[in-house]
Amino acid sequence: MSTQLFVNIITDDLPRAKQFFTSVGWIINPNFSDDNAICVVLSEHNYLMVLTRSFYAQFLEGTGKVTGDAKTQSLALISFSLDSREAVDHFVARAEGAGAKVGKTQDLGFMYQRQFDDPDGNHFEPFWMDPEAAESGPPQE
């Protein structure tokens, strides 16, 4: 069995989050979505679980931890690869059109990365990496 990755993030507006993530081209798995959460399918084995603040807080019960606010605190850097630089630019353009706040672009030659925050402030970094660099590591200078 291959490992599946579920990244859980908070939203203050579940319908808005659903609209945002479908607008960037991802699909919602209705089998794991309800009034408390949506399951956003990134790829065959990678998912975002977008949880209402109160539902997210239930997973922290007994830990002494509180939920953070992604608008003012960095809670995670969610990076994912795409097939080309153009795909990265196209994805970020869709995200911006859906309400994302776009950040900086970083071009290292072997890797090209963009940044955006979703409407809740969750931070995403789509990137493309040269397949040779992915195999052998970045060029040494």
Side-chain angles (χ1 to χ4, degrees):
M1 176 178 175
S2 57
T3 298
Q4 295 182 330
L5 177 67
F6 290 81
V7 176
N8 294 267
I9 61 175
I10 296 172
T11 183
D12 289 319
D13 186 334
L14 198 60
R16 180 191 68 206
K18 184 176 183 180
Q19 176 63 40
F20 176 80
F21 290 113
T22 56
S23 292
V24 300
W26 287 328
I27 62 169
I28 306 300
N29 180 337
N31 295 331
F32 296 99
S33 301
D34 58 22
D35 293 338
N36 294 308
I38 56 172
C39 178
V40 181
V41 180
L42 307 183
S43 66
E44 182 180 2
H45 299 291
N46 299 295
Y47 308 88
L48 280 179
M49 292 300 299
V50 184
L51 312 178
T52 62
R53 185 169 297 280
S54 59
F55 188 57
Y56 187 101
Q58 290 178 18
F59 293 95
L60 300 177
E61 288 177 3
T63 67
K65 295 183 180 184
V66 298
T67 60
D69 183 349
K71 289 186 190 305
T72 60
Q73 301 164 321
S74 178
L75 304 176
L77 303 175
I78 304 166
S79 299
F80 56 94
S81 64
L82 295 170
D83 293 334
S84 67
R85 293 169 180 259
E86 295 79 17
V88 170
D89 288 338
H90 183 69
F91 193 95
V92 171
R94 284 197 322 259
E96 184 173 33
K101 179 183 174 189
V102 175
K104 70 179 182 176
T105 299
Q106 186 174 24
D107 188 348
L108 302 174
F110 71 93
M111 186 175 82
Y112 179 74
Q113 183 172 353
R114 303 278 309 267
Q115 298 178 348
F116 69 87
D117 289 354
D118 74 7
D120 286 295
N122 296 295
H123 189 79
F124 293 84
E125 297 187 349
F127 69 94
W128 166 84
M129 185 178 294
D130 181 291
E132 188 175 304
E135 184 73 25
S136 60
Q140 301 299 314
E141 305 222 6

